[in-house]
Amino acid sequence: MPATLPHSTVERAVAIRREIHRHPELGFEETNTQAIVERELDAIGVEHRRIATTGVVGIVRGAQPGHVTGLRADMDALPILEDSGEECASQIAGKMHACGHDSHTAMLLGAARVLQESRESFHGTAVLLFQPAEEGPGGALPMIEQGALDDPRVEAVAMLHIDPRLPTGSIGITPGPVNAAADEFHITIRGKGGHGAQPHKAVDVIPCAAATILALQNVVARETDPLASIVVTIGTIEAGYRNNVIADKAFLTGTLRTHDPAIREAAPEKIRRIVDNIAAAYGATAEVKMLLGYPPVVNDAELAQSFAAYARENGFPVERPAPTMGGEDFAYFAQRVPGVLVRLGIYNEAVGSIHSGHSPQFRLDEGAIPTGIATLVAFARGVGDGSVPIRT
Ligand SMILES: [Zn+2]
Ligand SMILES: [Zn+2]
């Protein structure tokens, strides 16, 4: 285990986590959470400013020279009715911290306390990035646009995300892509309506839509490297009026998930080519609209490897979990500066911390909180004093 934290620091973080858990707030409505963050930063004497409506940037300035790290915690909850049975369960019906962001915020406040109390020996500066609206519409980009990484200039950034795939006490660091890009697409197919008994006088969009859906799987099965990750899912289809009328219009929506930015970039053209040409083959016309979501989170390979080695040396059990196809807007921070998404193990059957995030039964093992605080502190200290090198 890493060096132990003061008992009072852990206790305080647990209390803050429970306080935030009872009052979950959705994206860009995190005013109570923002006030808690400001209250706690004031209590330990850390300077801070508001950003991106309900976000906060705090700065811990070490007395020793060193690098500037960013530590990011998301603050928002989900529109879920909590059914966890936890003592500190949500007191707001239909809202729940089911993704652990309450603990992310509390652990960053814990790390801020540790760094602030040790600032005489702390090399460098830690920029605390308390971010709203990760679950949507996204708070990372407005924070960056409003200068969160600029003053002082952040040189490397890290975040924690709880992960029930890993046991409590461990962390997960995987170089390269770790979360997927989640893009959306809309397809409109237009034909010519008519009598169900006279198909030759119409252009029927129903068989055209069916052929389009099947052909789109070619993007996955025949046009993408089988070792790469890609998902093309058609989630909805709307068409038709009644059994004996030929439909003149079909509307389909789908999601495109990818890890590799090059594969993501190439996919819309492939989707368009297939949709347009299948439509042409059926005598119809089609339109594809792409709606870009969060980009993939790509962990900086060198930084991830060197931080994993440093964490192991300091007694952390470090695993290398598989990437997921979920989305995460930390991606925008990691596009600007070398970044690492660190997964924090919370799996613990003894306290019922076994459910996946976004589940109404989700429970968080608070026994993971000391490991999380210590991980953030280790990143700030390791990168700060140059033990964990960063590319310049
Ligand atoms: Zn989530
Ligand atoms: Zn989350």
Side-chain angles (χ1 to χ4, degrees), residues 17-298:
R17 181 257 157 179
R18 291 180 187 172
E19 184 182 4
I20 298 173
H21 194 86
R22 286 190 193 98
H23 298 278
E25 296 172 302
L26 304 182
F28 292 125
E29 295 172 2
E30 305 95 333
T31 48
N32 189 55
T33 311
Q34 183 183 47
I36 291 171
V37 168
E38 290 171 335
R39 182 193 74 201
E40 293 299 315
L41 294 178
D42 283 338
I44 55 174
V46 169
E47 65 182 88
H48 56 83
R49 64 180 192 269
R50 290 188 174 184
I51 193 163
T53 315
T54 44
V56 179
V57 173
I59 301 174
V60 179
R61 297 180 196 273
Q64 310 300 325
H67 294 287
V68 181
T69 49
L71 303 173
R72 182 275 212 165
D74 41 16
M75 305 157 77
D76 57 321
L78 287 156
I80 293 176
L81 183 63
E82 180 156 358
D83 184 25
S84 69
E86 277 212 274
E87 216 173 283
C88 63
S90 169
Q91 295 175 348
I92 300 172
K95 294 181 190 173
M96 174 184 179
H97 269 289
C99 204
H101 300 183
D102 50 346
S103 71
H104 301 165
T105 300
M107 290 186 287
L108 183 52
L109 285 167
R113 179 180 289 266
V114 174
L115 293 169
Q116 178 75 353
E117 284 173 356
S118 63
R119 66 184 178 286
E120 286 308 316
S121 62
F122 172 37
H123 285 259
T125 301
V127 177
L128 317 168
L129 304 159
F130 294 94
Q131 185 209 299
E134 189 283 325
E135 301 287 0
L141 212 45
M143 281 184 81
I144 293 165
E145 285 164 358
Q146 292 171 35
L149 298 175
D150 298 338
D151 183 23
R153 184 160 293 278
V154 172
E155 297 168 272
V157 64
M159 65 160 280
L160 286 177
H161 205 296
I162 54 94
D163 191 336
R165 295 176 302 166
L166 305 176
T168 293
S170 66
I171 58 174
I173 302 174
T174 306
V178 289
N179 275 59
D183 300 321
E184 186 178 336
F185 57 91
H186 296 174
I187 300 172
T188 308
I189 301 171
R190 288 193 175 82
K192 187 172 164 230
H195 197 296
Q198 296 178 322
H200 58 295
K201 292 185 176 171
V203 175
D204 189 350
V205 297
I206 299 275
C208 178
T212 302
I213 292 165
L214 295 178
L216 279 174
Q217 290 312 313
N218 223 46
V219 175
V220 178
R222 280 292 168 267
E223 297 199 31
T224 306
D225 182 335
L227 295 178
S229 314
I230 182 167
V231 178
V232 178
T233 292
I234 299 291
T236 70
I237 168 164
E238 288 165 35
Y241 306 98
R242 58 172 300 182
N243 71 89
N244 60 356
V245 175
I246 288 175
D248 59 348
K249 191 177 144 195
F251 181 64
L252 292 70
T253 67
T255 185
L256 168 69
R257 303 278 169 131
T258 51
H259 280 141
D260 182 334
I263 288 171
R264 179 195 194 198
E265 231 166 82
E269 196 280 317
K270 293 174 181 174
I271 291 173
R272 279 203 175 89
R273 173 171 42 77
I274 288 169
V275 170
D276 287 348
N277 286 292
I278 296 279
Y282 280 76
T285 58
E287 229 175 83
V288 178
K289 198 168 137 199
M290 293 296 308
L291 305 155
L292 295 185
Y294 299 157
V297 177
V298 182

